[in-house]
Amino acid sequence: MRIILLGAPGSGKGTQASIIEDKYGFSKISSGDLLRQEIEQKTNLGLKAQEAMDKGHLVSDELVGEIIKKRISSQDCKNGYVLDGFPRNISQAKYLEKMDRRRKETVLEIELEEKVLIQRLSSRRVCVECGAVFNLEGRPSKKKGICDACGGLLIQRRDDKPEVIRERLKVYQQQTKPLIEYYRDKKVYFPIDGKKTIPEVFVEISKILDKRLEEDRVTRQSP
Ligand code: G5P
Ligand code: MG
């Protein structure tokens, strides 16, 4: 199974992808995290990606495609994976299908109104060491500014500034939203109400995943 999480910036893709990985054992692949690692390691790819990310624009399909392909071909993805932030446009969706052809897909879009997205992104804090995600309002760390998981420092992401947030939301509407019709036509698209708490959103997601996995099992068993 390949799970694709769609949703505007701040909708909770990364949060839910981590829970899906924990509960279902599907490896989490986050294109944003992979790009941030490249930036941290000051690789050529990272240097090229940084400029686009700081503006809230998409990194080129070639660069993102390269790191996703490498990640998907690793051993831990053989039994399935959950994609957070990829694909972001139709051309990336087609690339994914070509790269890993026979896998059943489930596409979940976490829906949330813009006002709440902006609120969540402005109050998000991430750990510089392990990448754990917190929220000053909804999910604060026990000790202010310190990660509960590893004791690392919590910071605000560079692209969580108000003007970059606005640009990212615009880019989502223009370039990523068309994927909804694309996946609806393929009959693999499921919208999820993102307004609830993190555990409640996961309950909605797991209802769909359990059903899809069961369908998959039955199909495999039938001659
Ligand atoms: P990213 O890193 O993919 P975005 O913009 O798509 O960035 P972002 O900001 O990481 O998405 P998210 O993962 O959807 O948001 O949300 P999250 O971090 O889990 O949750 C946001 C906040 O809300 C957190 O504080 C969390 O605690 C709280 N929260 C989460 N869920 C809930 C809930 O259910 N209830 C409540 N109350 N709170 C909740 O991409 C970054 C950049 O990388 C490049 C682009 O430049 C992009 O801008 N990039 C790509 N470029 C080209 N192609 C691609 N495929 C690319 N992928 C990345
Ligand atoms: Mg994220």
Side-chain angles (χ1 to χ4, degrees):
M1 169 78 78
R2 158 162 73 227
I3 301 157
I4 295 174
L5 293 182
L6 294 180
S11 57
K13 302 180 297 296
T15 302
Q16 294 297 333
S18 296
I19 306 176
I20 294 170
E21 179 176 61
D22 277 0
K23 307 276 183 189
Y24 286 89
F26 295 127
S27 293
K28 171 182 171 179
I29 305 179
S30 162
S31 47
D33 288 351
L34 291 170
L35 289 166
R36 281 182 287 275
Q37 272 169 28
E38 297 281 338
I39 292 172
E40 174 98 16
Q41 292 161 9
K42 298 191 167 49
T43 63
N44 276 340
L45 194 152
L47 290 173
K48 287 183 199 156
Q50 174 95 72
E51 207 184 315
M53 289 171 80
D54 281 350
K55 289 187 190 141
H57 296 161
L58 293 188
V59 173
S60 76
D61 292 346
E62 289 72 27
L63 291 186
V64 183
E66 197 184 310
I67 51 171
I68 289 289
K69 189 174 182 184
K70 196 166 146 211
R71 182 67 189 87
I72 285 179
S73 52
S74 38
Q75 194 55 35
D76 67 297
C77 294
K78 289 279 175 290
N79 293 326
Y81 48 89
V82 48
L83 286 163
D84 153 26
F86 188 93
R88 286 282 237 269
N89 55 33
I90 306 275
S91 115
Q92 291 183 6
K94 290 189 171 158
Y95 177 77
L96 180 64
E97 282 154 24
K98 228 167 86 186
M99 191 189 353
D100 191 8
R101 249 175 229 287
R102 283 179 315 210
R103 220 173 263 281
K104 186 180 167 102
E105 281 177 328
T106 298
V107 180
L108 304 162
E109 187 207 11
I110 310 178
E111 296 181 310
L112 204 59
E113 58 184 310
E114 195 162 306
K115 200 174 77 190
V116 186
L117 293 168
I118 295 171
Q119 226 168 15
R120 283 195 193 167
L121 288 174
S122 316
S123 52
R124 171 168 62 184
R125 295 294 180 271
V126 293
C127 175
V128 280
E129 300 294 335
C130 71
V133 178
F134 296 87
N135 196 284
L136 296 179
E137 288 164 17
R139 199 190 203 188
S141 57
K142 291 193 185 95
K143 206 168 153 196
K144 196 172 173 235
I146 303 293
C147 176
D148 290 351
C150 75
L153 200 66
L154 298 183
I155 57 152
Q156 192 159 27
R157 245 169 64 177
R158 283 166 68 113
D159 57 353
D160 279 348
K161 297 184 198 104
E163 65 279 15
V164 188
I165 292 176
R166 274 196 299 276
E167 191 60 27
R168 287 159 63 203
L169 291 169
K170 206 165 89 189
V171 168
Y172 184 76
Q173 288 301 326
Q174 288 171 347
Q175 303 193 39
T176 309
K177 269 278 181 180
L179 281 176
I180 289 164
E181 279 317 303
Y182 180 80
Y183 286 122
R184 216 196 289 270
D185 287 349
K186 289 183 81 186
K187 306 207 176 354
V188 294
Y189 167 78
F190 302 87
I192 300 281
D193 179 5
K195 272 195 305 293
K196 303 173 179 170
T197 63
I198 294 169
E200 285 168 343
V201 172
F202 179 68
V203 168
E204 291 306 304
I205 288 180
S206 57
K207 276 185 206 158
I208 293 165
L209 289 184
D210 291 347
K211 193 161 166 270
R212 298 280 292 164
L213 288 165
E214 178 58 19
E215 284 166 10
D216 201 19
R217 199 183 59 79
V218 171
T219 316
R220 277 166 199 256
Q221 275 177 355
S222 54

